[in-house]
Amino acid sequence: MKYWNFMKHIKTYMGICLGSLLMTMSSCEPDMDFNNPSADNEATYYNTKEHLTYAVNGAYNILQRAGGWARWMPFMLNARSDEYVFTSGAAAGEPETARLSQYNVNADLGSVSTCYQDLYVLQYAANLALEKLEANQDGAFDLNNEDDKKLYDRLKGEAIFLRGLSRFYLVYFWGDEIPDRDYVTTGEGDYMLPPAEPGAIYQRMVKDFQDAANLLSDWSYEGTENEGRATKGSALAFLAKTYMARPILDGTAKAGDAEWALAKDVLWQIIDSHQYSLMDNYRDNATEDNENNAESLFEVQFCQSVETDGFNPAANGDLNDWVVTGQNTIRELEMSAPNSTESARWWNGQPSLALYNEFERDASGKIIDPRAYLGMYIPGGCNFLGKSGNWIPYEVLFSGDTFDEWRGKWFGCRKYSLDQVRSKEQSGINDRLIRYSDILLMYAECCLEADNDEATAKKYIQMVRDRANKNTEAFNTTEADLGNDYLKGNTLPTVDELLQQKPVVGRVVGSNGDVICEGMELNSVRRILKHEYSVELYWEGWRFFNLMRWYNNPNDPDQSIVLNNLKNKNALQVEQTNLTGTQVFDYSRHLRVPIPSTELSTNTNMHGNSAN
């Protein structure tokens, strides 16, 4: 039961929560009594354990909005990386996502404004839940009762974690000179809150994740009614991410200020808990089956809502509707298979040639890493159940007058996608924000950085590669994968064998013979780790984040060249799609996206950032 009755009570909660928010936005009120004394209101609603649980549930709900993972966040997280290029469909019909990929974002871009808005609403909802928990703790809970105390701590820990999550993503996208609150918005002058002092939000997000980890005692809720809620592991995982990314999250930090030793200790707590493990089947981490599994530390929960029509405003299911919000994501529709004769999707982004060439190959040039086939629609890969009702290969899926000349350069992202057309393309597939394989790779990185311990780093990299090498024929039983050799596994060399073979991965040579992406020779443990991050976690939102971290690591021998693929992205885009307009990546300008013009025009105490 992954949804813990969100839909049952979310409309009531959101009506009260957002009613309160809208009232605080008004500078004057009519001089009349307009409240129904018998109706639920903010003052009387939050006085039971049940209703305080709904308050926290309401904060979770913000993750499922358009400015969260229901629509724009996957583009915000992936489009700016070198693993992604935009399509002609995006250029013609969804230019907002194309502009994210082009580093051509201005302060009026609606997707950026929506994400900014919803992340602040997440902060508001988390603070509201915390305020009501504190105000009603003695009336709703008996804190001398062990069960009551555990529920109270759990709810408080979840709300603090969600506030930390809002801070993490707000600072990652917009920098740390932005407003920040650990209280419920008071209205009027509070909407003119100036930016926090540099470094202040970093310290607050660290404390949020620390406090959440201390309050949350459970590591997993798999198979219980609380499945999908934040856990101790969720909080520790984001705490480690925060420590490792201090140079890009703390306005007072400089390159080289990552907290490697602190991150290593936190990651070891997760590993040493023995509460998480790698799923045998890599594909289980991106489908609707086996969600909230043993590998998952935190997911944004989705389902195919039966109460709304997803993103169709005419059916009262608009993703931007505050009260009637479908629990769907449309990532499958926009970021998976092409809009061809056999599919019915918008296809606004696709895996880049740099990513496609990142996967290891045999002597004949065939990809030998099963993860490529289990996560992308590529030549030699899975079949797709098309509109014809037939299972079709890549060559038919990518067919038609437009596709024929680009076959072999155009790909689909199979992650978070069903391998078929369905009547309602909005999806119930959860977005996995952080997985145990990422924890193992981060731990390997901390071993290198904190202790120069290559032996231990190799051990944890090898654990991730060993899973990728497993025979998964028994798990992939649909006709999408049936009978394909890549299911048999046992094709990937070990880390030590890679060090001996020294293959070059990620190299892209243009049709005219020009080298677009130099690629990387896998001749060190550090480079093999970077390679493993990419082939394991591609299109899961961490590539751009990781590139920015590595660029801010003076100990990395590749520091001076780590951004080259981003700087050469226009040539990569042209080679793969013939679409131009991508700007040369400039770290000082393009690390962030602009503060939205709506914020700058309404808050006179705010100023732009380096991207404005």
Side-chain angles (χ1 to χ4, degrees), residues 244-245 260 445 533 545-553:
M244 293 171 70
W260 298 112
E445 186 172 358
Y533 269 120
F545 180 88
N546 288 341
L547 288 172
M548 300 304 108
R549 289 194 303 105
W550 297 332
Y551 179 70
N552 280 280
N553 182 7

Side-chain angles (χ1 to χ4, degrees), residues 404-578:
D404 290 346
E405 66 176 302
W406 295 100
R407 199 176 299 124
K409 291 185 179 180
W410 285 6
F411 316 111
C413 185
R414 192 181 176 194
K415 285 185 175 179
Y416 303 108
S417 172
L418 289 181
D419 302 316
Q420 64 184 60
V421 175
R422 49 184 178 178
S423 58
K424 290 186 177 181
E425 287 293 335
Q426 60 267 32
S427 168
I429 301 175
N430 291 358
D431 243 277
R432 279 71 157 175
L433 297 199
I434 192 159
R435 299 193 281 115
Y436 188 56
S437 60
D438 196 0
I439 301 300
L440 298 177
L441 296 177
M442 288 193 293
Y443 187 73
E445 186 172 358
C446 289
C447 287
L448 291 176
E449 299 297 343
D451 306 314
N452 196 28
D453 183 356
E454 288 196 350
T456 303
K458 286 196 296 183
K459 171 185 173 182
Y460 285 92
I461 297 169
Q462 191 60 54
M463 289 172 64
V464 178
R465 290 179 68 80
D466 284 345
R467 187 271 298 280
N469 232 0
K470 284 188 175 182
N471 184 314
T472 59
E473 287 182 290
F475 303 110
N476 294 277
T477 56
T478 74
E479 291 187 52
D481 293 296
L482 205 60
N484 282 299
D485 288 342
Y486 56 78
L487 298 181
K488 297 177 182 178
N490 301 312
T491 54
L492 288 176
T494 65
V495 173
D496 285 330
E497 288 169 341
L498 276 179
L499 287 170
Q500 293 173 357
Q501 297 169 7
K502 299 180 175 60
V504 174
V505 295
R507 184 176 176 85
V508 179
V509 179
S511 304
N512 60 3
D514 291 343
V515 176
I516 296 171
C517 301
E518 289 284 352
M520 181 173 63
E521 184 180 22
L522 301 184
N523 57 6
S524 69
V525 176
R526 189 186 296 270
R527 284 184 165 186
I528 291 172
L529 174 61
K530 291 176 183 173
H531 164 69
E532 201 62 27
Y533 269 120
S534 187
V535 295
E536 173 70 22
L537 299 172
Y538 64 94
W539 276 54
E540 294 183 37
W542 294 116
R543 173 65 173 178
F544 187 86
F545 180 88
N546 288 341
L547 288 172
M548 300 304 108
R549 289 194 303 105
W550 297 332
Y551 179 70
N552 280 280
N553 182 7
N555 293 327
D556 189 336
D558 296 325
Q559 185 269 343
S560 64
I561 60 173
V562 76
L563 302 183
N564 281 359
N565 278 10
L566 301 183
K567 294 175 182 178
N568 297 328
K569 196 174 179 184
N570 186 64
L572 181 65
Q573 180 75 49
V574 172
E575 175 65 25
Q576 197 165 349
T577 66
N578 210 29

Side-chain angles (χ1 to χ4, degrees), residues 270-290:
I270 298 172
I271 295 169
D272 194 45
S273 73
H274 302 291
Q275 296 295 312
Y276 302 102
S277 60
L278 299 176
M279 298 295 289
D280 287 331
N281 184 8
Y282 177 74
R283 182 141 172 78
D284 279 344
N285 295 305
T287 66
E288 203 159 7
D289 297 326
N290 295 312

